Amino acid sequence: WIERKLLRAQLFAMAETRIIAENFEGLEGMNLPVAQFVQAFMTNPYLVRKVALVTGFEEQILRSIPAEELLEVFVQWDTDSTGKISFDNFIQGVYQMRYRIKALQAQAARDEEQYVLADSVKRAKDAFDKAGKKGKDQLSLEDFIEALSDMDQLQRISAATELPVTFFESLSAGSLLDLFKQVDLDSSGTISLEEWVEALVQIRMSSYYERKTEEQEAMDAVREHAEAALNEGDADLNGEFDFMEFVTAFKTNSRFLRKVSLATGIPVQELRTLQTESLEDLFLSLDTDLSGTISFAEFVKGLAEIRLIRMKSV
């Protein structure tokens, strides 16, 4: 079992390094002294951007690292102690960066999932307590229907499941009976706290997983086009848009508009009609950290959200 696990890890690492190498096609002959590589990294904005995109690091963070710290990092990449950074050294170093970021992202995803689960359980229990009468630990069909007919209760159930109140309001008498039977797992004719919580949490988590899948698919679809759009519109090559760059790109750069169109699904002609006031509103909505600039991560996330809204409206 341990040998199989190690083999899978090795195959995964090989696949990852192959993907990374493909992103840096043209650098295969690289073999620079470490100090010279530091200089190249600090003066080549396209190299920094590509490293940021491949690893998941924020481009601005990579740009802000002092030369002394870069030297310390790249010396560690020189694993064969030649005093130089070969292409293989470079790819392995980038792989380690990518691996660390993915590990952090995976942990963040697990933390978020646990938070959503715990929140759903808490809200489901609260809704059950309010639905029961005089400390009852079972809900009859009458209690169930009464709970789903009360606006306060519907709001609690909606909060626990993240389904809109209107969904429950639209249920017919027959649908309510069917729902009661689905929640009543042991067919006892009543719903226990455990059955109630399991049903509501299952609804919430199913919606959560579906939404996260949609978001990831949208991010994957957008990223390449967003990179091309950033390359077109980021006039000073600092890895982000300021407001003037953003407006200028929308108003004067057809290639930029084409990339944004491909990312979001909004026709170029429609993007051309955006006035400065609308572009300002868009800029402010994408600048989620209120920094006055739009980072690549904010740009990708914002375009992905627009793409999802567009897809659901079609």
Side-chain angles (χ1 to χ4, degrees), residues 121-148:
V121 170
K122 180 178 179 297
R123 291 178 183 273
K125 288 181 176 179
D126 178 61
F128 184 89
D129 290 340
K130 298 297 190 296
K133 295 180 179 178
K134 297 180 181 178
K136 292 170 61 175
D137 59 359
Q138 301 280 335
L139 295 182
S140 66
L141 176 58
E142 180 183 355
D143 296 329
F144 183 78
I145 292 176
E146 184 177 336
L148 270 70

Side-chain angles (χ1 to χ4, degrees), residues 38-216:
V38 170
Q39 184 66 21
F41 190 85
M42 295 184 69
T43 58
N44 188 331
Y46 293 107
L47 175 61
V48 176
R49 177 165 298 168
K50 183 60 71 173
V51 170
L53 292 172
V54 171
T55 61
F57 269 82
E58 282 282 356
E59 187 172 343
Q60 297 92 324
I61 293 176
L62 292 179
R63 290 180 185 277
S64 68
I65 300 175
E68 302 78 25
E69 293 183 20
L70 285 175
L71 183 61
E72 290 179 11
V73 172
F74 295 147
V75 164
Q76 294 176 23
W77 287 16
D78 176 24
T79 53
D80 44 11
S81 301
T82 62
K84 296 182 178 182
I85 301 293
S86 67
F87 184 69
D88 286 342
N89 293 148
F90 174 67
I91 296 303
Q92 286 301 317
V94 172
Y95 168 76
Q96 291 298 326
M97 292 174 65
R98 179 182 171 103
Y99 179 83
R100 292 190 188 101
I101 285 291
K102 283 196 168 187
L104 291 172
Q105 290 172 338
Q107 184 59 56
R110 288 192 293 271
D111 291 344
E112 180 185 72
E113 180 182 357
Q114 287 302 309
Y115 172 81
V116 171
L117 178 61
D119 181 67
S120 182
V121 170
K122 180 178 179 297
R123 291 178 183 273
K125 288 181 176 179
D126 178 61
F128 184 89
D129 290 340
K130 298 297 190 296
K133 295 180 179 178
K134 297 180 181 178
K136 292 170 61 175
D137 59 359
Q138 301 280 335
L139 295 182
S140 66
L141 176 58
E142 180 183 355
D143 296 329
F144 183 78
I145 292 176
E146 184 177 336
L148 270 70
S149 303
D150 179 84
M151 181 53 67
D152 289 340
Q153 267 301 93
L154 283 179
Q155 290 176 345
R156 293 188 185 93
I157 295 170
S158 174
T161 60
E162 289 201 340
L163 289 176
V165 169
T166 52
F167 168 80
F168 297 102
E169 290 179 321
S170 68
L171 296 176
S172 65
S175 297
L176 285 172
L177 178 59
D178 290 340
L179 181 58
F180 179 86
K181 290 178 179 178
Q182 291 174 25
V183 178
D184 178 20
L185 297 175
D186 60 4
S187 301
S188 64
T190 60
I191 296 174
S192 67
L193 171 63
E194 290 75 16
E195 290 172 327
W196 173 276
V197 169
E198 181 175 343
L200 268 60
V201 169
Q202 186 176 44
I203 293 171
R204 170 81 173 272
M205 297 310 293
S206 294
S207 298
Y208 171 76
Y209 293 133
E210 182 179 351
R211 185 176 71 253
K212 297 300 287 186
T213 299
E214 289 178 348
E215 289 174 353
Q216 187 58 54

